[in-house]
């Protein structure tokens, strides 16, 4: 049996959202998907799909590209970069004021790893490590 690899950015973002809203274990119990744009269409530069909040405060924003999704961390940038690298997700800084860390989710198989990054960032923020 051959499974298709999910590489549609909008679908990947939907899977991340489902993981965040559908799981209530560990750190994910503290997360919500808010301000969702249900009509978002992927763009080359990425279109904002929704915000990811932790205890009611925005931690990251999700963007959809044609072939991937990305999480743009506004808080815990160093923790996000380290955690993403540890689980083999592509990551890069965004030179803006204030700076951001971009974590790319390029297939459906990477969705659980992206939620692992969210949980690691949450724990590090709780510990005051970032």
């Amino acid at each position: 049996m051959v499974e298709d690899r999910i590489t549609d950015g909008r679908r990947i973002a939907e899977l991340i959202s489902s993981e965040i809203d559908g799981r209530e274990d560990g750190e994910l119990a503290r997360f919500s998907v808010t301000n969702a744009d249900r009509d978002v269409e992927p763009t080359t530069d990425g279109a904002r799909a929704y915000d990811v909040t932790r205890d009611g405060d925005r931690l990251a924003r999700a963007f959809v590209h044609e072939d991937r999704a990305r999480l743009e961390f506004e808080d815990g940038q160093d923790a996000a970069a380290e955690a993403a690298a540890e689980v083999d997700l592509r990551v890069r800084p965004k030179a803006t004021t204030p700076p951001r860390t971009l974590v790319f989710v390029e297939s459906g198989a990477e969705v659980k790893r992206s939620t692992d990054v969210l949980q690691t960032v949450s724990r590090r923020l709780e510990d005051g490590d970032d």
Side-chain angles (χ1 to χ4, degrees):
M1 178 175 169
V2 175
E3 291 186 32
D4 292 332
R5 179 182 159 142
I6 297 172
T7 58
D8 173 84
R10 184 173 177 168
R11 181 68 184 129
I12 293 168
E14 289 171 348
L15 291 171
I16 295 169
S17 174
S18 293
E19 279 292 305
I20 292 168
D21 279 342
R23 289 179 51 195
E24 303 231 349
D25 58 326
E27 288 294 313
L28 288 179
R30 302 175 73 175
F31 286 88
S32 297
V33 171
T34 59
N35 300 320
D37 180 352
R38 301 200 186 285
D39 298 321
V40 67
E41 291 297 326
T43 65
T44 302
D45 294 331
R48 191 197 68 78
Y50 52 81
D51 297 336
V52 178
T53 59
R54 175 184 171 264
D55 298 332
D57 295 320
R58 187 170 65 201
L59 177 67
R61 299 171 91 190
F63 291 81
V64 294
H65 301 258
E66 293 176 8
D67 59 348
R68 66 185 177 271
R70 80 169 191 262
L71 294 174
E72 187 170 298
F73 285 83
E74 300 174 358
D75 201 4
Q77 297 96 347
D78 292 340
E82 291 169 15
E86 287 175 8
V87 295
D88 294 323
L89 292 179
R90 191 164 63 94
V91 62
R92 75 172 176 83
K94 183 176 181 181
T96 59
T97 304
R100 309 266 194 258
T101 295
L102 308 181
V103 175
F104 296 92
V105 186
E106 298 177 328
S107 72
E110 295 181 348
V111 168
K112 288 208 185 285
R113 287 187 267 163
S114 71
T115 57
D116 289 345
V117 171
L118 286 166
Q119 292 181 90
T120 297
V121 171
S122 181
R123 285 189 295 271
R124 295 257 317 259
L125 288 171
E126 190 69 25
D127 293 342
D129 290 343
D130 200 294

